[in-house]
Amino acid sequence: MGLAEAADPPVFGSGAGVVVNTSNATSCTWDGVQELDDEVWKPAASYAFRGRSNETQGPGNIDRDIMHMVRRLSVTEKIGQMTQVQVGLLLDCNGELNETAVKHWINTWKIGSFLESPGNHNGRYSWYSPQKFSELTDAVQRIALENGPKIPVLWGLDSVRGANYVKGATIFPAGIATAATFDADHAFAAGRVASKDSRAAGTHWAFAPVLDIAVNKLWSRTYENFGEDPFLSAQMGRASVQGYQGDYKSDRTRVAACLKHFIGYGYPFDGSDRANRHIAAHELLEYYVPPFRAAIEAGSATAMESYGVVNGEAIMLSHYYLTQLLRKQLGFEGMLVTDWGEINSQATLYRTAKNVEEATKLALQQTSVDMSMVADDASFGQTMLDLVANGTLSEERLDESVARVLQLKKDLGLFTDPFADPQLATTVGSLQDVNAARDAVRESVTLLKNENNVLPLKVNDKVLFVGPTLDSTRLMGGGWNVHWQGPSNEDGDAVYQGFGDTILRGVRQVTGKAPKYMQGVDIDGEALIDIDNVVRAASKADKVVVGLGEHTYAENGGNIGQLLLPEKHIELVSAIANQTNTPVVVVLVQGRPRGLGTIAQNAAAILNAYLPGAYGGLPIAELLYGHVSPSGRLPTTYPATEAQASATIWQSSYGEYAPQWAFGYGLGYSNITYSNVTLSHSDLQMGAPVTVSVTVTNHGPHVQKEVVQLYTHQQYRMGYAPELFRLRGFTKVNLNVGASETVSFVLTAEEMAFWDRKLRRRIEPAPVTVAINPFIQKDISAVVQLRGDPGYVLEEADY
């Protein structure tokens, strides 16, 4: 089987993402307006599942039968296995599957992987049910098994917060909200449900978890991640991989996880998506690598490289980042995929390659990338054929990647049964899943201010509800929710077809009566709405709850020039606070910590709900009315000024750290005190950990889940500025009124080691302050003496 070029393809394409077989007699009768999927089913109330296990299944050696399969493939077939294109290329002008197009991609280009939801690419329906989604994926699988190399295809989906592209699937809180729970079990639950519902749709690979460290809070992808702290992100990432992937080699309700985006994506220089990042190599290892290391240790089967450049060097073409660091130092053995069109973008966007051919050559020669998410065309296939034919790329290099791709397919069970399990569809939207999502919201919403105990509300309070986020499911969801950018204005909330709620509906359920509601302002802050009547109604109320936040967005669609909320949002709160004597409670539904201006002073209480997902309404109402006491804690620093957009808890300690609210901050409705901090030893040295204990007491008046956080601050570090604080441990305890509990953490000298500029991880001895919740509980601390040989290197990295 030779290296002949693939034949010129027939013409496919009619508009962005819509595919038409011009030789097909089918007429175009659809007007292009997406419809609601009318599939109806009664989700099972509950179902059995495998719980969280500390046993790790992950990628490793390539099986002998897979190597035999690799050697039997032609070069064209090998390249096809390394290629991924989006589902829109398989659809006709009526938004339906075009089997001629599928056969073309399978027979001509031998494509081994597809991605995405037809709902994002001019498919007939806006949100595909598991039944209709699986009809499409199963049809593609049948064609793949009968055509080309007769190998099942691997289908990838951005199931980043539940299977958010599958109708009825439970949409969980965004990553930033999950991190705010400070309970990794919620990350596990979100991943587990996402994997089950993704498999119900016939997809096998989730592009999640998202493990970027969110430094610049302007960044539009802040909400997708687990916050700014390396330790918190690592714990959440580990649990998330366990949830998505679990026993994926035997459990057919699980998918392959994908750690992304490797690496440094979360510190865009100017806050815009894909902007250049300036990160010193030792700081990259110290702060940005830990979540990825944890996900690799948890067995993540795949990884995705990051968009853009770090220190001017293209990640996509970097031997250091994608081979030396990812493979050799961190020990990743799984399959590595590019992000969307990222090889071609080296030539067309970043100008890091002369042309697409050069970009493809460098990516394959210098990195360990296995699959190109080329997405929109056959350019990768043709270019690869040319590079192999002229001797630039060896067939052995293809074999290395194809083996990893095929091994992944085997591990996922695709060679045994690549089709969707129809029984799984009956569990999509299960009340069990909805309750899991609501539990995450209950523990994520963060109380930032509560002047004069204005919260919780009382059922007999006369409350006026104002603001666009209180009466919207889609705004609670944000981006990566039904569609890439979230539901459109035309979709509205109707697209959910009952699979979700709103805060107002939650209030009705909690109080048993219809809430009085006025919009007050639009979500983009373009105009105040009926403000005089709003103020008049507010003056007659006991309390006013104002829901503010952001419209839905993802990636470049969420770029902003400043953190400050729209001026009209601020004016709405100001008008009510200054023209009435009614206390104002602000509920923020947002994907990043937006600047509050005078809201911080004018509001009596402020709740940060982040992006709670489609089922966030009821739990937020429960929190407002005191059925649950808030226990969320900020997973990012909340800036007070634009200049603080990149402030973090781990910044150098000599610099000012005066944000609106610090990382880890959050209040509850109960009076919680800490006492009796003790250390098991006064010295901390390698091989001799210290136990740190503290007593936590709930003085009432509410049952309280309390996040206990352990921090360290090294008082000096020879030659290197120590961080303000490093989070070293956390746990969540449930305390009845009057109850006390002693919480213990184990602190090791090894975790106090740091990376220096010579890329050596070592210890500098010094006194270390050990603090408990330092920005909530003052002076709950002790000092331990860190000892060690500064010349002893625990770990060394090659650059």
Side-chain angles (χ1 to χ4, degrees), residues 289-593:
V289 163
F292 293 95
R293 185 191 292 271
I296 290 168
E297 290 172 352
S300 183
T302 73
M304 183 185 293
E305 58 79 36
S306 173
Y307 283 129
V309 299
V310 172
N311 302 325
E313 181 183 10
I315 295 289
M316 182 67 258
L317 305 181
S318 172
H319 175 80
Y320 171 69
Y321 292 123
L322 299 186
T323 300
Q324 180 62 40
L325 179 56
L326 179 63
R327 299 283 189 188
K328 295 181 180 179
Q329 185 173 340
L330 298 181
F332 177 67
E333 296 182 293
M335 194 265 280
L336 175 62
V337 66
T338 77
D339 210 328
W340 190 283
E342 195 65 352
I343 290 180
N344 289 6
S345 290
Q346 304 308 309
T348 61
L349 177 62
Y350 309 119
R351 307 300 180 187
T352 55
K354 180 171 64 175
N355 52 40
V356 169
E357 182 177 351
E358 283 293 310
T360 306
K361 179 186 77 173
L362 292 173
L364 272 292
Q365 286 181 338
Q366 297 184 171
T367 82
S368 62
V369 69
D370 299 310
M371 181 180 288
S372 174
M373 189 189 291
V374 64
D376 288 322
D377 56 39
S379 59
F380 179 75
Q382 186 60 67
T383 303
M384 288 285 287
L385 282 169
D386 294 341
L387 291 172
V388 175
N390 64 29
T392 302
L393 285 181
S394 69
E395 193 167 347
E396 288 73 22
R397 173 62 182 89
L398 306 188
D399 292 351
E400 174 188 323
S401 289
V402 174
R404 285 196 280 256
V405 172
L406 294 179
Q407 184 66 52
L408 177 62
K409 291 184 178 185
K410 179 182 178 180
D411 291 344
L412 287 166
L414 302 192
F415 292 127
T416 303
D417 183 3
F419 301 107
D421 178 356
Q423 287 300 113
L424 287 181
T426 66
T427 72
V428 173
S430 167
L431 180 60
Q432 178 174 301
D433 298 342
V434 172
N435 286 337
R438 284 176 168 159
D439 283 344
V441 178
R442 291 180 181 108
E443 295 192 38
S444 68
V445 173
T446 306
L447 180 61
L448 299 174
K449 182 179 180 181
N450 195 21
E451 206 170 70
N452 300 320
N453 292 323
V454 66
L455 289 176
L457 305 174
K458 299 178 178 62
V459 173
N460 58 356
D461 282 341
K462 188 161 65 173
V463 183
L464 174 66
F465 293 87
V466 181
T469 59
L470 300 181
D471 192 30
S472 173
T473 305
R474 71 186 183 103
L475 294 180
M476 292 196 300
W480 306 102
N481 156 40
V482 179
H483 297 306
W484 173 45
Q485 296 288 334
S488 66
N489 292 336
E490 292 73 23
D491 287 326
D493 280 0
V495 72
Y496 293 97
Q497 296 179 265
F499 290 103
D501 61 17
T502 67
I503 297 172
L504 289 182
R505 288 207 292 272
V507 169
R508 179 191 288 268
Q509 190 168 341
V510 167
T511 64
K513 54 189 178 184
K516 181 174 176 57
Y517 172 71
M518 304 177 77
Q519 184 174 342
V521 69
D522 65 291
I523 190 60
D524 293 316
E526 294 180 355
L528 294 173
I529 299 170
D530 200 17
I531 188 61
D532 291 340
N533 283 330
V534 169
V535 171
R536 191 175 297 113
S539 67
K540 298 176 182 178
D542 296 321
K543 295 169 184 175
V544 178
V545 175
V546 180
L548 304 174
E550 299 183 291
H551 63 75
T552 66
Y553 59 83
E555 300 188 40
N556 284 325
N559 284 348
I560 54 175
Q562 62 176 4
L563 276 174
L564 194 67
L565 279 170
E567 190 61 36
K568 295 300 180 184
H569 284 207
I570 298 170
E571 286 180 17
L572 173 64
V573 175
S574 179
I576 296 171
N578 295 331
Q579 297 179 45
T580 76
N581 294 316
T582 308
V584 178
V585 175
V586 171
V587 178
L588 298 167
V589 178
Q590 56 184 1
R592 54 199 154 192

Side-chain angles (χ1 to χ4, degrees), residues 13-73:
S14 176
V18 181
V19 177
V20 180
N21 178 358
T22 56
S23 66
N24 195 325
T26 302
S27 60
C28 300
T29 58
W30 183 44
D31 62 5
V33 177
Q34 288 186 318
E35 305 166 8
L36 295 179
D37 183 338
D38 60 2
E39 192 74 37
V40 177
W41 71 100
K42 184 177 180 180
S46 63
Y47 55 90
F49 62 90
R50 297 184 191 178
R52 189 175 175 187
S53 170
N54 289 325
E55 295 182 7
T56 298
Q57 279 194 3
N61 295 330
I62 305 300
D63 294 342
R64 184 176 299 176
D65 60 334
I66 294 298
M67 289 311 305
H68 285 320
M69 184 181 298
V70 171
R71 286 191 278 270
R72 289 199 303 269
L73 296 178

Side-chain angles (χ1 to χ4, degrees), residues 442 445 447 623 628-633 666-672 674 696-707 732-739 741:
R442 291 180 181 108
V445 173
L447 180 61
L623 288 155
V628 180
S629 181
S631 64
R633 299 292 182 262
L667 305 171
Y669 294 149
S670 255
N671 176 21
I672 304 294
Y674 289 72
V696 190
T697 302
N698 180 8
H699 299 282
H702 296 267
V703 175
Q704 182 70 50
K705 287 189 175 181
E706 177 70 5
V707 177
K732 204 163 196 174
V733 295
N734 192 32
L735 295 173
N736 290 322
V737 175
E741 185 169 331

